[in-house]
Amino acid sequence: MSKTLAKLLFALAAIVVLGAMPVQAASNLSGELEIFSWWAGDEGPALEALIDIYKKENPNVKVLNATVTGGSGVNAKAVLKTRMLGGNPPDSFQVHAGQELIGTWVKADRMEDLTPLFKEQGWMKVFPEGLIKNIGTDKGIWSVPVNIHRSNVLWYIPANLKKWGVEAPKTWDEFFAIAPKLKKQGIVPLALAQNWTANHLWESVALAALGPDKWDALWSGKLAFDSPEAVKAWELFGKILEYTNADASSLSWQQATDMVVDGRAAFNIMGDWAAGYMSTTKKLAPGSGFGWMASPGTGGAFMFLADSFGLPKGAPHRDNAIAWLTLLGSKEGSDAFNPLKGSISARTDSDLSKYNDYAKSASADFAKDRIVGSLAHGVTANETFMGDFATVMEMFLKTRNAAAAGKMAQQIAVKSGIGK
Ligand code: GAL
């Protein structure tokens, strides 16, 4: 038999075999599915990739992608609260793993226990034990995690740093040494945006000032917010603010990233959704187009947060929501979502070949670094604390009074039950 004929026969045989293989049947679910999140606009592509898969699997379900714009859910969480308390929950909503979920919605008995789904899907083995602890209590498991994001990251454009004759600072002292040099060239040393991004910066600064053990001690109630160490973190934060842009409060997080990308600012400290934005939206290559480093003074620590989705009690389209959650927790769903989002998969078996160099480095750090929880994104404190902390931050941004901020933070920690 000639080689060509053999190839042809092989190809024909392959077509017959593949043709006989079962194609995944479309589900017979119908009706609607309302998914509630703050992933609107520039934050949308990763969620949309998941919704596309869902629509293929469930062609008769009408998906309502309900988003409320505003980074870190500042606006979405307020709308969600009104809806939940008004007995009008969406079918599934975005919520951070940790106290935002457990200390808020689970405590108020508003969520369904997803343990049966975790068991059925074999998820007890594929999600890290530590993460399951952040979405579970002794009474159940309350959401499905879609990712792991890192909060303590410093972003920059390598070519710009070269042009300005500076290097990315590993410590805040190194930052203070180069900041005046940048200012002289008309460059904002550190880009900042609206108030929640000040909380975001604060947690990276506090982690640098306190170190991981004392950071954890703040949240277990063993270290007071008005202790000398914690007040020092506010002092350092105040000093850093001197090198940020004056119009911060009117900017979105993307606009602060834009300042870095456009060469108006040297650095920004933001979670790695900024990597998603720079690679997916801005089409910059990780490494050559944009650079990163652990935020100053936090090398070796990985401040994590995880987005997850839950099933509220009384969800109008419960079965459709369960199909959604099943997709979120799957390997296919996770590896479609995370490469676009800038995060890494929450599953331990993800296919890293689908991820870019930033995500590969985050994944390596996640495996070896000391893991601590994010305040600004729901891990360490409940919504009561977060709401009041925003007020403490506003006060500090106006007065720069570190001792008063420490005192107020301690009062709200007691009020919201930290350490109890
Ligand atoms: C975080 C969320 C991220 C990203 C970011 C900016 O709270 O976990 O996924 O959306 O806010 O909005």
Side-chain angles (χ1 to χ4, degrees):
M1 191 164 41
S2 79
K3 262 192 182 163
T4 334
L5 185 62
K7 269 189 193 159
L8 193 68
L9 285 177
F10 181 77
L12 279 175
I15 290 169
V16 171
V17 172
L18 286 177
M21 271 169 63
V23 178
Q24 196 185 359
S27 79
N28 51 17
L29 292 170
S30 62
E32 291 178 358
L33 170 74
E34 188 194 3
I35 305 161
F36 185 89
S37 80
W38 59 86
W39 289 330
D42 289 329
E43 293 220 59
L47 176 64
E48 280 147 26
L50 272 178
I51 293 179
D52 284 348
I53 303 178
Y54 184 88
K55 282 182 176 162
K56 272 187 204 122
E57 288 177 355
N58 306 283
N60 299 321
V61 176
K62 190 167 168 253
V63 179
L64 191 66
N65 182 8
T67 55
V68 179
T69 320
S72 84
V74 273
N75 306 319
K77 285 187 212 164
V79 175
L80 178 70
K81 193 170 169 192
T82 311
R83 288 189 57 174
M84 292 286 277
L85 299 182
N88 175 27
D91 293 311
S92 183
F93 65 86
Q94 178 185 2
V95 60
H96 288 122
Q99 283 303 308
E100 184 180 313
L101 169 73
I102 304 296
T104 312
W105 299 118
V106 175
K107 197 170 160 209
D109 196 22
R110 301 280 169 159
M111 307 304 289
E112 274 203 42
D113 176 15
L114 300 172
T115 307
L117 184 65
F118 271 69
K119 291 206 167 133
E120 176 199 294
Q121 297 295 325
W123 289 344
M124 302 305 285
K125 284 190 212 100
V126 295
F127 290 119
E129 211 186 312
L131 181 59
I132 293 190
K133 277 199 187 129
N134 275 284
I135 50 171
T137 58
D138 53 356
K139 296 202 173 61
I141 301 179
W142 307 100
S143 71
V144 178
V146 277
N147 63 10
I148 302 283
H149 265 307
R150 186 178 194 173
S151 160
N152 60 320
V153 195
L154 178 84
W155 306 98
Y156 55 89
I157 305 294
N160 286 345
L161 297 196
K162 212 171 163 197
K163 191 166 79 197
W164 301 324
V166 298
E167 272 177 25
K170 288 197 194 65
T171 62
W172 284 111
D173 281 344
E174 284 181 23
F175 174 80
F176 294 130
I178 61 170
K181 197 169 165 181
L182 290 163
K183 258 189 151 176
K184 247 190 224 150
Q185 299 178 68
I187 310 300
V188 174
L190 188 67
L192 190 67
Q194 61 193 123
N195 283 18
W196 75 263
T197 73
N199 294 346
H200 188 104
L201 174 62
W202 184 83
E203 69 183 11
S204 269
V205 173
L207 178 60
L210 296 170
D213 286 342
K214 287 190 176 161
W215 172 258
D216 281 350
L218 273 184
W219 308 109
S220 61
K222 292 196 180 108
L223 180 71
F225 284 80
D226 53 1
S227 63
E229 297 100 306
V231 171
K232 267 203 181 123
W234 284 101
E235 283 164 2
L236 175 61
F237 179 63
K239 211 171 148 199
I240 294 162
L241 288 179
E242 299 298 321
Y243 295 102
T244 57
N245 42 308
D247 62 350
S249 66
S250 65
L251 303 185
S252 66
W253 70 263
Q254 290 96 328
Q255 286 172 312
T257 311
D258 289 346
M259 288 178 67
V260 176
V261 171
D262 302 345
R264 286 173 284 140
F267 304 105
N268 176 230
I269 289 177
M270 190 35 61
D272 48 16
W273 42 92
Y277 176 61
M278 285 189 278
S279 56
T280 306
T281 307
K282 296 271 165 182
K283 310 283 180 226
L284 296 177
S288 52
F290 69 90
W292 65 88
M293 193 179 268
S295 57
T298 69
F302 189 114
M303 186 174 262
F304 99 101
L305 60 118
D307 291 301
S308 72
F309 281 77
L311 179 63
K313 284 187 174 165
H317 310 94
R318 187 176 179 277
D319 289 350
N320 296 349
I322 289 176
W324 167 246
L325 297 174
T326 307
L327 170 64
L328 292 185
S330 72
K331 187 170 170 174
E332 183 200 6
S334 191
D335 287 341
F337 175 86
N338 287 299
L340 297 170
K341 186 70 174 65
S343 39
I344 54 175
S345 175
R347 294 178 60 114
T348 48
D349 62 352
S350 76
D351 177 358
L352 268 186
S353 71
K354 296 199 166 129
Y355 291 74
N356 69 21
D357 285 352
Y358 169 73
K360 282 185 184 134
S361 87
S363 173
D365 287 350
F366 188 64
K368 69 173 169 44
D369 280 1
R370 165 77 182 269
I371 309 295
V372 292
S374 157
L375 161 68
H377 307 279
V379 181
T380 59
N382 62 21
E383 285 294 278
T384 309
F385 183 90
M386 280 307 292
D388 290 346
F389 192 77
T391 314
V392 177
M393 183 55 74
E394 258 169 48
M395 183 281 290
F396 185 79
L397 292 176
K398 279 196 201 107
T399 64
R400 308 280 162 103
N401 186 333
K407 223 179 200 163
M408 269 175 90
Q410 182 56 22
Q411 279 163 5
I412 68 172
V414 171
K415 177 181 149 203
S416 66
I418 281 176
K420 291 274 147 54

